[in-house]
Amino acid sequence: MEPNSLGDSIHQQIEDLCSLGDSQVEQGNLKIALKSYRDALHLLPEPVEDWEAATWIYTAIGDLYYQARQFADAIKALKAAVRCPGGLGNPFIHLRLGESHYELGHEDLAADELTRAYMGAGRDIFAAEDPKYIDFLATRIKPPTGQEHL
């Protein structure tokens, strides 16, 4: 659905709450950030999963939980993001899902999600991440034709 179908006022409130959440994450205030994101999510009409805004709100929540090393909660939020418009196939969402599964020892799920991230965005998506994730993926998939490494 289009952002404007929410109504300009609600759409602006959601953007403001998410911006507040983002700035609170940067400052390390994860509880305040999480509240902001959840407040934004509650402004969406049901079913929440039909709205594009839900994709980025759930992704922000999943990333926050990943940063806080609460990997099971990260997976829950990111799986919700995958069910929203544009979520399935989003390389960042799959990256965080893969990393979270990896941290919990779910190697097959980690490999699947990290492969999706790699296929969607290439090696660049791993550039700012701990090298252990791309190193792990290199044990599971072969490099593209003509390349020696992932």
Side-chain angles (χ1 to χ4, degrees):
M1 296 189 175
E2 295 179 36
N4 291 339
S5 61
L6 278 173
D8 291 338
S9 174
I10 291 175
H11 188 259
Q12 188 60 54
Q13 289 176 49
I14 290 170
E15 284 189 355
D16 291 347
L17 284 165
C18 288
S19 291
L20 174 62
D22 294 346
S23 67
Q24 292 301 314
V25 167
E26 288 174 17
Q27 296 173 33
N29 300 322
L30 301 184
K31 283 186 179 181
I32 296 170
L34 184 58
K35 182 182 181 330
S36 295
Y37 295 139
R38 286 186 175 154
D39 288 348
L41 203 55
H42 287 117
L43 290 174
L44 294 173
E46 292 290 337
V48 171
E49 292 81 12
D50 286 353
W51 297 94
E52 273 184 40
T55 310
W56 38 272
I57 296 168
Y58 279 125
T59 301
I61 292 170
D63 188 44
L64 179 151
Y65 280 131
Y66 172 81
Q67 303 288 336
R69 303 190 58 78
Q70 296 178 23
F71 302 115
D73 290 328
I75 291 168
K76 183 177 176 184
L78 294 163
K79 281 185 174 181
V82 167
R83 291 190 302 269
C84 298
L88 184 62
N90 178 300
F92 181 77
I93 295 171
H94 291 294
L95 175 71
R96 283 291 185 257
L97 270 169
E99 291 169 333
S100 296
H101 279 299
Y102 176 89
E103 294 298 338
L104 293 175
H106 308 152
E107 290 189 358
D108 289 342
L109 293 170
D112 181 56
E113 295 296 345
L114 293 173
T115 299
R116 290 172 189 260
Y118 182 83
M119 297 302 289
R123 186 178 179 90
D124 290 347
I125 197 159
F126 293 89
E129 305 302 311
D130 188 316
K132 68 183 176 185
Y133 301 117
I134 192 75
D135 292 345
F136 165 73
L137 186 58
T139 69
R140 294 298 188 104
I141 64 172
K142 294 180 180 182
T145 304
Q147 291 184 9
E148 195 172 317
H149 305 286
L150 288 185

